[in-house]
Amino acid sequence: MKNDPKDERFMRLALRLAQKGKGLTSPNPMVGAVVVKGGAVVGTGYHHRAGKPHAEVLALRQAGEKAKGATLYLNLEPCDHFGRTPPCTRAILEAGVQRVVAGMKDPNPLVSGRGIKRLKEAGVRVEVGVCKEACQELNAAFIKGMTTGTPWVILKAAVSLDGKTATRSGDSRWISSGTSRRQVHRLRRRVDAVMVGIGTVRRDDPLLNIRLPGKSPARQPLRVVIDSRLRIPPASRIVRTAEAFPTLVVTTPAAPADKRDKLKKAGVKILVTRGDRRGRVKLRPLMRELGRLGIQSVLLEGGPALNAGALKERIVDRILVFMAPKIVGGREAPQMVGGEGVWRMKNARRAEILKVRRIGPDLMIEAKPLYG
């Protein structure tokens, strides 16, 4: 059934409001709310951060008495359970809202549909599914976390026009433009964790924090380093700044105990997880561990080896490539994905291009890997 254009218009407004909470609401979803009466918006709100009032509560407060008999638009089903805040269904019923339009059901299997049922039983008209795909895309990380217990993973890479990530000497600063690099810092602001392999740490000595002009970010992402044998240099910037920025090094039982102790004293948290037959950290079990730690989204900024492993283990949900108008050349210059590769073109991993746009002089290509 086709949606009412008015419903779609107000739901799009709710989605725009919800986006204001990007990078701030985890482990909660991003939610926007719009109260409409007589065709006019009388209240708006969005969820600012976990522990703060939910979007619908803020919108209803702004609407005041005008909420009685009004329609409430939400990109996500209202909650009907006590968490850090009371259930939103109670506030909706107390305000006298006559109709609720939700973009999608709550993906949490423990509560999905409960808020809708409670409202319907109280006589509120409820409609679900307006702009459903846009609502799902906005909270893709929350949905995956709730349904699988593992984080949403974005593989990010900067490459030259001929697909190189560095020169044959290993120099990679800078392939992409300053505009693209600022965009990466904005991406870091929206995720729970930034992940690299030990090769990237030893080669580039990155900080992996958010550095943007203006005020300091409300929070920094967890910095995750995959290091199966704890080869991370104590003098690296990541270790030296571990007291200032949350840092986790993931290793295997084979890592020397004395190295673990030294890193812990420097403020680094250590996670020991399973290794494969070659002693490398297994990424799929690691994703489950990160999910248990409350990590819902990961920006993977690894090198060729880690990228290859992530794609092989099928943990990547999106690929984001910043392509610079430069030609590097060289058989020995590293590329975005390492490993053995495929023997025949028909066996190449496929992806669906979702977006292509200009970022300064570069192209930003967003793709979805297709796992057959």
Side-chain angles (χ1 to χ4, degrees):
M1 188 175 75
K2 195 171 182 181
N3 293 319
D4 187 317
K6 291 195 295 293
D7 285 346
E8 288 195 8
R9 177 161 60 92
F10 292 125
M11 186 61 73
R12 295 286 177 191
L13 175 55
L15 284 164
R16 289 196 297 273
L17 288 165
Q19 287 174 354
K20 293 184 177 183
K22 270 191 175 179
L24 300 171
T25 63
S26 183
N28 291 349
M30 291 172 277
V31 181
V34 180
V35 183
V36 177
K37 190 169 187 179
V41 174
V42 295
T44 62
Y46 71 94
H47 187 40
H48 290 246
R49 64 178 66 240
K52 296 293 183 181
H54 288 189
E56 46 268 65
V57 172
L58 294 174
L60 291 169
R61 280 181 191 170
Q62 190 181 99
E65 290 297 319
K66 293 178 182 177
K68 191 170 183 179
T71 297
L72 173 65
Y73 292 86
L74 296 158
N75 56 293
L76 185 69
E77 172 187 358
C79 68
D80 187 49
H81 59 279
F82 279 92
R84 297 195 212 181
T85 58
C88 292
T89 50
R90 176 195 289 180
I92 293 169
L93 294 174
E94 289 176 351
V97 170
Q98 188 177 67
R99 178 174 175 249
V100 171
V101 179
M104 59 174 286
K105 284 186 177 182
D106 191 321
N108 185 342
L110 298 177
V111 299
S112 182
R114 209 163 85 182
I116 294 167
K117 182 182 178 185
R118 169 81 182 276
L119 293 174
K120 284 184 174 180
E121 287 175 346
V124 178
R125 289 168 51 207
V126 181
E127 295 174 37
V128 183
V130 176
C131 302
K132 183 178 178 180
E133 289 185 4
C135 294
Q136 291 174 330
E137 181 67 23
L138 177 69
N139 279 308
F142 176 73
I143 294 169
K144 186 181 180 187
M146 279 294 167
T147 55
T148 70
T150 60
W152 179 263
V153 179
I154 304 168
L155 188 160
K156 186 278 299 180
V159 303
S160 62
L161 201 57
D162 56 338
K164 307 295 185 181
T165 58
T167 67
R168 59 191 176 91
S169 68
D171 179 32
S172 61
R173 294 186 179 177
W174 296 103
I175 294 175
S176 58
S177 66
T179 307
S180 290
R181 296 197 299 277
R182 284 191 293 275
Q183 182 67 17
V184 171
H185 283 274
R186 293 187 192 100
L187 282 167
R188 289 178 182 176
R189 190 169 59 186
R190 297 173 185 175
V191 298
D192 295 331
V194 177
M195 180 185 293
V196 296
I198 184 58
T200 297
V201 174
R202 290 168 67 91
R203 182 180 63 250
D204 298 336
D205 194 21
L207 266 174
L208 302 180
N209 62 347
I210 302 167
R211 301 184 301 280
L212 286 167
K215 64 179 182 179
S216 300
R219 63 167 187 142
Q220 290 282 353
L222 175 69
R223 303 180 301 177
V224 181
V225 179
I226 310 297
D227 185 4
S228 57
R229 290 179 288 160
L230 289 186
R231 294 183 296 143
I232 189 168
S236 65
R237 294 201 293 173
I238 281 186
V239 174
R240 287 190 286 112
T241 59
E243 296 282 2
F245 305 112
T247 307
L248 177 72
V249 172
V250 182
T251 192
T252 64
D258 61 327
K259 287 188 176 181
R260 293 187 213 174
D261 293 339
K262 286 178 182 177
L263 288 171
K264 287 178 182 177
K265 287 178 182 177
V268 176
K269 291 183 179 180
I270 303 293
L271 174 63
V272 180
T273 188
R274 291 165 53 191
D276 62 16
R277 286 180 296 178
R278 296 175 62 182
R280 298 170 302 191
V281 170
K282 295 187 73 171
L283 297 177
R284 290 188 72 83
L286 171 59
M287 292 301 110
R288 289 192 289 272
E289 292 285 349
L290 291 179
R292 281 192 279 269
L293 292 174
I295 300 298
Q296 286 189 347
S297 53
V298 174
L299 183 61
L300 179 60
E301 298 192 40
L306 185 56
N307 290 345
L311 289 166
K312 183 177 180 181
E313 293 196 46
R314 301 187 174 197
I315 67 167
V316 177
D317 298 286
R318 290 290 185 272
I319 300 169
L320 208 56
V321 178
F322 292 86
M323 180 173 282
K326 300 174 182 177
I327 297 174
V328 175
R331 288 190 298 271
E332 298 176 9
Q335 302 179 101
M336 175 179 151
V337 180
E340 294 180 359
V342 298
W343 183 254
R344 300 185 62 123
M345 188 57 69
K346 69 177 184 179
N347 299 127
R349 189 176 303 284
R350 298 189 178 276
E352 177 187 352
I353 302 294
L354 301 177
K355 295 177 187 174
V356 179
R357 68 184 180 103
R358 290 289 293 266
I359 301 287
D362 306 329
L363 284 181
M364 186 176 77
I365 304 167
E366 182 179 351
K368 173 185 176 181
L370 302 176
Y371 299 116

